[in-house]
Amino acid sequence: MDFLRPATWREALEAKAAHPDATPIAGGTDVMVEINFDRRRPDVLLDLTRVPELTTWSETDGVLRIGAGVPYARLIDELGDRLPGLAIASRTVGSPQIRNRGTLGGNLGSASPAGDAHPPLLASDARIEVESVRGTRTVPVAEFFTGVKRNALAEDELIAAVHVAPASGPQQFSKVGTRNAMVIAVCTFAIALHPEQQRVGTGLGSAAPTPRRARDAEEFLSAELDWAGRRPLAESVAQRFGELVAQASSPIDDVRGTADYRRHALAVMARRTLSWVWEEHRSGRQECA
Amino acid sequence: MRLRFTVNGQPHEADDVWEGESLLYVLRERLGLPGSKNACEQGECGSCTVYLDGVPVCACLVAAGQAEGREVRTVEGLADGERLDPVQEAFVEAGAVQCGFCTPGLLVQTHDLLARRPRPSDAEIREALAGNLCRCTGYEKIMDAVRLAAQRTAEART
Ligand SMILES: Cc1cc2nc3c(=O)[nH]c(=O)nc-3n(C[C@H](O)[C@H](O)[C@H](O)COP(=O)(O)OP(=O)(O)OC[C@H]3O[C@@H](n4cnc5c(N)ncnc54)[C@H](O)[C@@H]3O)c2cc1C
Ligand code: FES
Ligand code: FES
């Protein structure tokens, strides 16, 4: 096995171009489990933890650019006010030790249907910046997941960063699991209100082969909500929203839960998180963020 | 490959390290530091928790090569010579140890918690230790130990 240690982003891209079969390793919280259990024997490991460009974030012209190597603990501490939905999801990841080490880029790299960072990124229309020696492109997060644990990266590409606008309205995330710490989600749901566009964003996790949005539910709700008058939510609207979210899923039966249970839970989570964000919107908090 | 890094303040070198092996394996099998325990090798139990450049991580999930040039502090590095760290003393006094397998990880994780939050609430203690499993004590004694350590540390500061 080869172990490559690029010291800069440029070197990392050159290393990936020279060794397209190299497995990038960031926090290692997915890669090392596979190696320890002999499920994967990469010929080449490409260590990204020495690349300083990956561990920074910045805000330009109202868009955050978060380096792929930023761990959950920092997403929570440093970006919790700007991206509350992603921070809530990050708090549910693993344990403190996992959150200290596991990264946003690693979650996208693994592209698990159960990746907890994915639903809030979907709800906020994030874009994934990927790069190779050939150049840079950005992929809308909804197009980034191409199948179970598959993503849109070409073999010479690495994930550089995530671009996402800071919250302009309330955001929520909900996760069903058997206990609080250290669970792979049975299913998850993220919602973001974008009041300035009078629009709702959603993201579903562990509910289909890939994380996905519930587009019909988004359109329905965006049209029904009384954005300016901020009237209370009609029970029938919440009910219908939950149904549409459940319909957007295509879950499976597995050891963590049945497809029926997942559909039911998604409808409940959708109604519940909607009531939270709408109350927050009505009370006017967060509005000038 | 050859690996050079600092462990508990001392420079260390290990030869013939396999690129895919974990920092935990290097510490235990190559450097003879068996304090950090190996129970699950998948980040679930926390018994391998060490500081890597000052941040608590599961050593079983750090690739050996990622530790090159870095600073690692293990449970062996908590005591000051013969003098136990207040966290270690509190675990002994509170009887928070039975088989002891989980203890090294709990000590490092508690040490970090108290460095960041000298007076943690019970909820904060539970949250901080959520990634450290103990099969013996039922956790109540561990909670007692952390509260005691917090009190001692606070007293020592004033
Ligand atoms: C005990 C435990 C609990 C966990 N709990 C959760 C949980 O609750 N929720 C959750 O979502 N996940 C969880 N995970 C999974 C894991 O922690 C996350 O997926 C994490 O985000 C992975 O990040 P990493 O930096 O450790 O990735 P790594 O393991 O380093 O890499 C993961 C994948 O991404 C690729 N990769 C990494 N960086 C890049 C890059 N910049 N460009 C291209 N490819 C890249 C790697 O090649 C690999 O395929 C858990 C893991 C463990 C061990
Ligand atoms: S041995 Fe590392 S977490 Fe269990
Ligand atoms: S004392 Fe035995 S596992 Fe904790």
Side-chain angles (χ1 to χ4, degrees), chain A residues 110-144:
Chain A
S110 291
S112 159
D116 284 321
H118 308 149
L121 294 181
L122 286 161
S124 295
D125 308 290
R127 299 170 67 84
I128 315 303
E129 179 188 333
V130 304
E131 194 169 343
S132 70
V133 289
R134 293 176 291 122
T136 304
R137 61 188 180 115
T138 58
V139 185
V141 65
E143 290 163 30
F144 187 76

Side-chain angles (χ1 to χ4, degrees), chain A residues 26 135 140 206 219 231 270:
Chain A
S206 280
E219 272 171 37
R231 267 185 316 224

Side-chain angles (χ1 to χ4, degrees), chain B residues 96-103 106 133-137 142:
Chain B
V97 179
Q98 286 193 40
C99 79
F101 211 82
C102 64
T103 312
L106 279 162
L133 302 186
C134 173
R135 300 287 78 178
C136 302
T137 70
I142 294 171

Side-chain angles (χ1 to χ4, degrees), chain B residues 24 37-48 58-60:
Chain B
L24 179 61
K37 296 289 177 266
N38 178 355
C40 74
E41 288 196 296
Q42 52 179 317
E44 299 274 351
C45 76
S47 56
C48 65
C58 297
C60 68

Side-chain angles (χ1 to χ4, degrees), chain A residues 101-237:
Chain A
R101 192 86 183 137
T103 64
L104 193 53
N107 210 229
L108 290 163
S110 291
S112 159
D116 284 321
H118 308 149
L121 294 181
L122 286 161
S124 295
D125 308 290
R127 299 170 67 84
I128 315 303
E129 179 188 333
V130 304
E131 194 169 343
S132 70
V133 289
R134 293 176 291 122
T136 304
R137 61 188 180 115
T138 58
V139 185
V141 65
E143 290 163 30
F144 187 76
F145 309 107
T146 53
V148 178
K149 303 198 176 179
R150 290 162 58 93
N151 61 37
L153 287 181
E155 59 174 14
D156 62 345
E157 283 178 327
L158 294 172
I159 303 165
V162 170
H163 297 241
V164 60
S168 58
Q171 303 183 340
Q172 272 295 342
F173 172 83
S174 182
K175 173 170 172 177
V176 173
T178 42
R179 60 193 181 116
N180 268 343
M182 303 281 244
V183 285
I184 305 178
V186 175
C187 53
T188 57
F189 181 72
I191 187 168
L193 298 186
H194 307 289
E196 78 296 354
Q197 304 166 32
Q198 306 206 336
R199 202 170 59 78
V200 178
T202 60
L204 279 61
S206 280
T210 64
R212 60 164 71 153
R213 292 167 54 175
R215 290 181 195 268
D216 291 346
E218 291 176 7
E219 272 171 37
F220 164 77
L221 187 60
S222 302
E224 290 291 331
L225 289 174
D226 177 25
W227 293 98
R230 305 189 187 204
R231 267 185 316 224
L233 195 65
E235 185 51 41
S236 59
V237 170

